[in-house]
Amino acid sequence: MDLHSGKSYWLDRLPPLPSYPALDKDITCDVLVIGTGSGGAVCAFELVRRGLDVVVVDKREVGSGSSSANTGLLQTSNDKPLFACINSLGTEKGVRFYRLCREALTRIEVISKMLDVDPEFKRRDSLYYASSEADVADLRKEYEALSAHGFDVEYWEERVIGERFSFRKPAAIYTRNDAEINPYRYVNALLLYASRHGARIYEHTEIKRHTETADGIEFYTPANRIRARYAIVAAGYEAQEWRRNPNAAIASTFAVATQRLDGFPGWHERSLIWETARPYLYMRTTADNRIIVGGLDEPMNDAEERERMLPHKAELLIEQLQSLFPQIPGLRAEYHWTAAFGDTHDGLPLIGTQESFPRCFFTLGYGGNGTAYCTFASQIIAGLITDGYHPDADLFRFNRPKWPTATPV
């Protein structure tokens, strides 16, 4: 699967790092991690810290899949609002999902300080605005749900938004202590840490098939064999080629990064920004003073069509960004890219085991908050491997009930 095209801004933000060889012999390990994106990298990090013998493989270069196209917004809130989660999951499960996302941001912050390469993690607040008057009632409902369950949010009316930003919107939720990160540096830094703590990492090593053994599982590349007690499939959207999940949907998204800017007038605290419209526009600033804006998603997964649409989508993204920030003149796209984007119909990631894949754990952080999902998925899976249990595993299992889908804002 062609996961992205165009030129991602993150590729020029990576300092020189060691490369990894292709597998050229048969090996044995405790856990094989398949995939070097966010899901695989953070699993490798968590497992080496638990003293396990870990091997990580990828058919491409490290982090060169969806992680190099991620826009790096880290938020407590999700594409599926909290009130909708409560409606479909019940209060306990719905609130737990949101708290796991909040805890994941704290975990990413802690991990970032342990790494040898700075992943440019920074705490930022978020503005989530009503795209139209019709969205205000549900936005207010979402604010009340977040506030009632202890999330650090404020409800801003049009006047307050206009005082702090160069645009006016009918209403907004302002969330404290979300964050931003350079996702490509983060993935590479996680794998560098794992490598320096004993993990063996192999690029250009594609898994073709597997078989179960009496005490583990064997995976085969075109030339070699890997014996493992357990495996973690962190193949991102390409995991659908291993086994198609009816709860998953793959679409296409688009993003641009502007030129470096002298300042951000009309942009309160350089907060993360997104909106209630679906598909939604989302934006952030970067460590070297650019703006990344993404969105204009299309419900298709055709790499050629995605690439054909990219120039026009990039123009539209800059136009919409400029309309919001007229005090920042001359915005232009120095980078633009398009990528596959996965989501689930019920709004939750997919974590755990699947039929026909014995001793394999899947971490599919599908959704707009994928880096956070991968973070708590790594802790769930590590618990399942080392302890045989994790209290949050049931919420995200593949064979979970078909909860009704509440109407999002």
Side-chain angles (χ1 to χ4, degrees), residues 216-255:
I217 189 165
E218 293 185 350
F219 290 85
Y220 298 88
T221 73
N224 300 106
R225 178 178 61 189
I226 305 171
R227 291 180 175 177
R229 291 171 52 221
Y230 300 99
I232 297 174
V233 180
Y237 309 135
E238 289 179 305
Q240 296 308 302
E241 297 174 356
W242 288 60
R243 177 168 182 157
R244 178 75 178 91
N245 300 115
N247 193 9
I250 309 297
S252 298
T253 192
F254 305 85

Side-chain angles (χ1 to χ4, degrees), residues 371-388:
T371 305
Y373 299 163
C374 289
T375 302
F376 61 69
S378 70
Q379 296 171 310
I380 290 172
I381 292 173
L384 292 173
I385 288 174
T386 59
D387 305 322

Side-chain angles (χ1 to χ4, degrees), residues 41-336:
V42 72
C43 280
F45 173 91
E46 294 290 353
L47 292 172
V48 297
R49 289 185 57 79
R50 287 164 168 79
L52 294 172
D53 178 20
V54 177
V55 167
V56 186
V57 300
D58 199 303
K59 67 181 182 181
R60 301 183 180 89
E61 295 178 355
V62 162
S64 63
S66 298
S67 294
S68 63
N70 187 328
T71 49
L73 284 75
L74 304 175
Q75 296 172 300
T76 295
S77 290
N78 294 271
D79 293 357
K80 183 170 183 173
L82 176 58
F83 80 83
C85 290
I86 291 172
N87 286 347
S88 59
L89 307 177
T91 300
E92 182 179 355
K93 288 184 172 65
V95 173
R96 180 58 183 159
F97 175 40
Y98 263 60
R99 286 178 177 162
L100 281 170
C101 292
R102 182 174 61 185
E103 291 169 9
L105 270 59
T106 300
R107 180 61 180 161
I108 295 168
E109 182 174 25
V110 170
I111 292 172
S112 295
K113 294 175 181 177
M114 301 169 63
L115 303 176
D116 294 330
V117 176
D118 176 17
E120 298 176 346
F121 177 95
K122 186 173 180 60
R123 287 286 183 174
R124 296 285 191 197
D125 298 339
S126 287
L127 183 83
Y128 180 47
Y129 66 75
S131 305
S132 68
E133 289 286 351
D135 296 336
V136 171
D138 277 346
L139 188 78
R140 182 77 195 192
K141 189 187 301 183
E142 177 65 358
Y143 162 74
E144 290 170 353
L146 289 165
S147 181
H149 293 285
F151 296 94
D152 192 359
V153 292
E154 298 175 8
Y155 185 83
W156 288 4
E157 296 183 344
E158 182 177 358
R159 176 188 58 80
V160 179
I161 299 167
E163 289 172 352
R164 290 164 172 78
F165 290 88
S166 58
F167 54 83
R168 302 179 75 90
K169 296 294 176 180
I173 297 171
Y174 193 76
T175 303
R176 306 270 180 198
N177 280 316
D178 282 340
E180 66 189 27
I181 201 166
N182 178 327
Y184 189 51
R185 283 173 71 114
Y186 182 56
V187 163
N188 277 271
L190 285 167
L191 291 167
L192 179 63
Y193 178 101
S195 175
R196 289 176 173 173
H197 289 77
R200 288 167 284 168
I201 300 174
Y202 299 97
E203 298 177 322
H204 304 291
T205 300
E206 184 174 7
I207 299 298
K208 289 294 190 179
R209 62 187 180 90
H210 68 280
T211 59
E212 187 179 7
T213 66
D215 57 353
I217 189 165
E218 293 185 350
F219 290 85
Y220 298 88
T221 73
N224 300 106
R225 178 178 61 189
I226 305 171
R227 291 180 175 177
R229 291 171 52 221
Y230 300 99
I232 297 174
V233 180
Y237 309 135
E238 289 179 305
Q240 296 308 302
E241 297 174 356
W242 288 60
R243 177 168 182 157
R244 178 75 178 91
N245 300 115
N247 193 9
I250 309 297
S252 298
T253 192
F254 305 85
V256 304
T258 69
Q259 76 274 30
R260 289 189 180 91
L261 301 168
D262 293 330
F264 301 92
W267 193 320
H268 180 68
E269 299 292 339
R270 294 175 61 166
S271 53
L272 314 179
I273 301 173
W274 59 310
E275 62 173 332
T276 57
R278 295 294 187 270
Y280 56 83
L281 200 68
Y282 50 95
M283 62 200 75
R284 54 162 292 190
T285 62
T286 69
D288 66 341
N289 294 330
R290 301 175 190 267
I291 298 171
I292 292 178
V293 56
L296 304 180
D297 297 1
E298 293 287 345
M300 57 86 181
N301 183 31
D302 183 313
E304 290 185 2
E305 179 66 8
R306 197 162 55 224
E307 187 168 4
R308 185 192 67 79
M309 299 173 72
L310 177 57
H312 180 58
K313 292 284 191 176
E315 290 178 5
L316 291 177
L317 286 168
I318 288 293
E319 287 176 10
Q320 293 190 33
L321 177 65
Q322 190 71 80
S323 70
L324 289 171
F325 294 100
Q327 298 173 39
I328 310 176
L331 291 171
R332 65 181 187 277
E334 286 200 353
Y335 299 85
H336 61 273

